Amino acid sequence: MTDQARTPESDIPGKPTSASRTTLSHIMTHNDTNLLGTVHGGVIMKLVDDAAGAVAGRHSGGPAVTASMDEMAFLEPVRVGDLVHVKAQVNWTGRTSMEVGVRVLAERWNESTPPQQVGSAYLVFAAVDADGKPRRVPPVLAESERDRRRNQEAQIRRTHRLARRRAIVELREKRASEGLDD
């Protein structure tokens, strides 16, 4: 696929997934630990948001802000001395938003064993202009079967996010109409 590919609803040239894919690596120290002596989940979440934000900014060609984070999964604890790699790429794009998928891997800094996946997350970013208003993003162009699968799964997650939001709004409106103010 070329970088000149366009979708019917967009006159912005698309960008392949590889154009913004990135890896952020960080060694974990005692400053990163929680009360259990392992790396605090919030430290990992910040690294995830940092890597995803870089990918969203690269893909959209400017500022992008975190709109939501969902399905953050911590699969294994991260320890002091682990070299953490946060790999991120754009999975899906809408008109002004994009989903970024993130995989978190860890390996011992002084061993030559393969990294182990310790976490994953999906974040939605909104591209914004200098005034903080939404702006258009280029379509993402899948380059492999894996990219196509990630795009399809991202569309399912988007459908679920929108349905959940609609159901909550409807419930709140119903409760308000019944005089049940929370």
Side-chain angles (χ1 to χ4, degrees):
M1 295 191 191
T2 72
D3 62 317
Q4 296 302 311
R6 300 171 197 276
T7 60
E9 67 276 358
S10 170
D11 59 353
I12 301 173
K15 288 186 178 179
T17 53
S18 61
S20 57
R21 188 179 292 140
T22 194
T23 300
L24 176 106
S25 297
H26 189 79
I27 193 159
M28 298 291 105
T29 68
H30 288 286
N31 292 334
D32 301 316
T33 60
N34 58 28
L35 296 175
L36 298 175
T38 57
V39 172
H40 195 290
V43 170
I44 301 300
M45 290 173 76
K46 182 179 184 328
L47 294 173
V48 164
D49 192 41
D50 288 346
V55 166
R58 282 176 156 186
H59 183 82
S60 68
V65 296
T66 310
S68 71
M69 174 188 270
D70 60 28
E71 297 186 36
M72 179 73 208
F74 297 100
L75 306 172
E76 296 289 336
V78 177
R79 302 171 295 163
V80 169
D82 280 353
L83 181 56
V84 172
H85 308 284
V86 183
K87 298 177 175 281
Q89 78 169 47
V90 174
N91 290 335
W92 171 89
T93 54
R95 197 175 64 76
T96 61
S97 64
M98 63 209 107
E99 183 195 90
V100 178
V102 181
R103 288 181 55 219
V104 183
L105 302 125
E107 62 181 307
R108 295 304 293 166
W109 69 274
N110 60 348
E111 297 174 10
S112 59
T113 56
Q116 177 183 11
Q117 185 170 353
V118 296
S120 65
Y122 299 101
L123 296 87
V124 176
F125 281 80
V128 295
D129 63 18
D131 297 321
K133 303 292 184 208
R135 63 181 174 80
R136 301 287 300 268
V137 298
V140 65
L141 304 175
E143 298 176 282
S144 67
E145 277 307 312
R146 177 179 278 179
D147 291 343
R148 282 183 271 289
R149 175 187 53 79
R150 287 179 176 166
N151 183 274
Q152 290 170 334
E153 291 171 358
Q155 290 178 51
I156 292 168
R157 283 187 292 275
R158 179 176 187 272
T159 299
H160 288 197
R161 278 191 292 269
L162 294 174
R164 183 176 58 235
R165 182 182 308 148
R166 246 186 334 273
I168 289 170
V169 166
E170 289 171 6
L171 176 64
R172 289 180 179 172
E173 288 171 351
K174 179 179 182 273
R175 290 181 57 82
S177 72
E178 294 171 351
L180 301 171
D181 194 20
D182 295 339

